[in-house]
């Protein structure tokens, strides 16, 4: 599959936290972008943000990604697809609220690409480490060889009673698996390959439209709570800067050898207290218990070597990400 260094890229869910950075990175590197949004209203802010790119940026409406053929028109004439649209929240009662758009949206965009994407050369799926990890009984380092069948099983067995984390994780596992299965079934008929990017919690400045701090996407809200809500700096995970996962979406097109790969995009494990400790001394936010994160035993870690080897990705440090995010909040008057 040739590397894609120019042309038009379709970005689904273009108004999301990660997607707007993906769009920006693509435009900065000379690509044209067609973004999909659910309603014309959601495209207005995007058009303003990228007005300087003129007709290199266009927005199209895809009101319901679960409808058959929803992306049939959107895929026409594009050289590559970045599929980011998928719900990310921990509030679903019925697991189908997450599973349906995640799986049907993914299979739907691939089916549209198969039928109408005659110029498509690569499809990048924004998956997640949620599709990689399982809750281990002792500390474990996960790689791209791992799949989260545990969450899928929990949702199959417990349905609505499954944990909120399992419902989201199952949606990402099933969606990513569906993408690989689709490609393996249809590879003789299509001229494109698939790449899955698997980030953990994504933090960083916000350039998508958000009305208030309480209307942020899930990962940004988590970081905001840590800095502003007493007692929230409890917990740990892995993280990556939004600009790094966005760049990975561009490098994933440019590096021929990324084709057919799952790639973990992670800057490392952290405790929520580490975020507070990484803030500039001038920060007026909560301080928590400085240093308390240092002894955290991380049950779950990810090996992100492939992202450096295949994509050549260089990660932001936590100090950079935190400083830039706090500055962004200040500019927004939050
Ligand atoms: P956002 O909530 O900011 O963006 C999600 C995007 O998906 C929006 O465009 C949203 O549209 C669209 N979307 C959500 N639900 C549906 C639905 N039912 N039908 C159609 N479109 C929908 O989230 P992020 O930017 O954080 O997430 C983007 C992708 O990255 C997701 O696939 C998520 O799973 C993945 N991811 C995110 C991580 C993170 O920490 N942020 C970590 C790992 C993976 P609308 O605005 O109209 O709701």
């Amino acid at each position: 599959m040739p590397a894609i260094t120019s042309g038009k890229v379709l970005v689904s869910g273009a108004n999301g936290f990660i997607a707007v950075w993906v769009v920006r990175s693509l435009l900065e590197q000379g690509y044209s972008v067609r973004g999909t949004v659910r309603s014309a209203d959601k495209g207005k802010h995007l058009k303003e943000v990228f007005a300087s790119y003129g007709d290199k940026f266009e927005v199209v409406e895809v009101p319901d990604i679960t409808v058959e053929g929803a992306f049939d028109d959107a895929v026409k004439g594009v050289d590559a697809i970045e599929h980011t649209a998928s719900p990310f929240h921990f509030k679903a009662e019925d697991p189908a609220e997450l599973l349906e758009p995640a799986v049907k949206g993914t299979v739907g965009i691939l089916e549209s690409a198969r039928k109408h994407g005659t110029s498509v050369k690569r499809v990048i799926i924004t998956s997640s480490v949620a599709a990689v990890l399982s809750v281990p009984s002792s500390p474990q380092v996960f790689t791209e060889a791992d799949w989260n069948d545990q969450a899928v099983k929990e949702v199959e067995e417990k349905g609505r009673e499954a944990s909120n984390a399992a419902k989201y994780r199952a949606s990402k596992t099933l969606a990513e698996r569906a993408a690989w299965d689709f490609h393996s079934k249809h590879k003789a008929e299509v001229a494109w390959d698939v790449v899955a990017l698997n980030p953990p919690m994504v933090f960083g400045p916000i350039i998508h439209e958000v009305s208030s701090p309480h209307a942020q996407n899930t990962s940004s809200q988590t970081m905001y709570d840590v800095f502003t809500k007493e007692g929230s700096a409890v917990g740990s995970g892995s993280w990556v800067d939004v600009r790094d996962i966005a760049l990975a979406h561009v490098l994933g097109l440019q590096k021929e050898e990324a084709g057919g790969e799952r790639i973990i995009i992670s800057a490392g494990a952290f405790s929520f207290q580490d975020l507070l400790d990484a803030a500039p001394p001038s920060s007026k936010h909560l301080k928590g218990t400085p240093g308390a994160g240092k002894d955290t035993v991380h049950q779950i870690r990810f090996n992100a070597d492939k992202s450096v080897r295949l994509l050549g990705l260089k990660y932001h440090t936590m100090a950079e990400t935190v400083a830039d995010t706090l500055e962004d909040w200040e500019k927004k008057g939050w």
Side-chain angles (χ1 to χ4, degrees), residues 13 15 17-18 38 42 84-86 88 127 168 172 199-200 202 219:
N15 61 319
F17 169 52
I18 295 174
R38 287 205 260 188
K42 295 190 180 193
T84 85
S86 203
F88 175 20
S127 187
Y168 171 67
K172 297 306 283 182
V202 182
S219 56

Side-chain angles (χ1 to χ4, degrees), residues 181-200:
D181 289 348
F182 186 97
H183 186 261
S184 109
K185 191 168 159 203
H186 296 288
K187 60 174 173 282
E189 305 154 53
V190 298
W192 41 266
D193 57 15
V194 170
V195 178
L197 300 178
N198 302 74

Side-chain angles (χ1 to χ4, degrees), residues 12-20 36-39 42 62-66 83-89 97-98 100-102 126-130 168 171-172 197-203 208 216-220 240 242 249:
S12 69
N15 61 319
F17 169 52
I18 295 174
V20 183
T36 76
V37 291
R38 287 205 260 188
S39 63
K42 295 190 180 193
V62 176
D64 184 352
I65 64 173
T66 65
H83 179 52
T84 85
S86 203
F88 175 20
H89 60 78
E97 287 172 44
L98 299 171
E100 289 252 322
T126 313
S127 187
S128 167
V129 293
Y168 171 67
S171 79
K172 297 306 283 182
L197 300 178
N198 302 74
M201 266 185 268
V202 182
F203 301 134
H208 66 297
Q216 295 184 81
N217 60 290
T218 299
S219 56
S220 301
V240 69
V242 68
H249 281 78

Side-chain angles (χ1 to χ4, degrees), residues 106-107 110 147 173-187 194:
T106 302
V107 174
L110 296 179
W147 278 93
T173 306
L174 292 169
E176 195 198 322
R177 262 207 204 286
W180 292 118
D181 289 348
F182 186 97
H183 186 261
S184 109
K185 191 168 159 203
H186 296 288
K187 60 174 173 282
V194 170

Side-chain angles (χ1 to χ4, degrees), residues 1 50 95 101-102 111 196 203 207 212 219 248-249 262 278:
M1 219 55 62
F50 298 119
E111 187 62 24
F203 301 134
I207 53 171
S212 82
S219 56
H249 281 78
R262 312 176 82 192

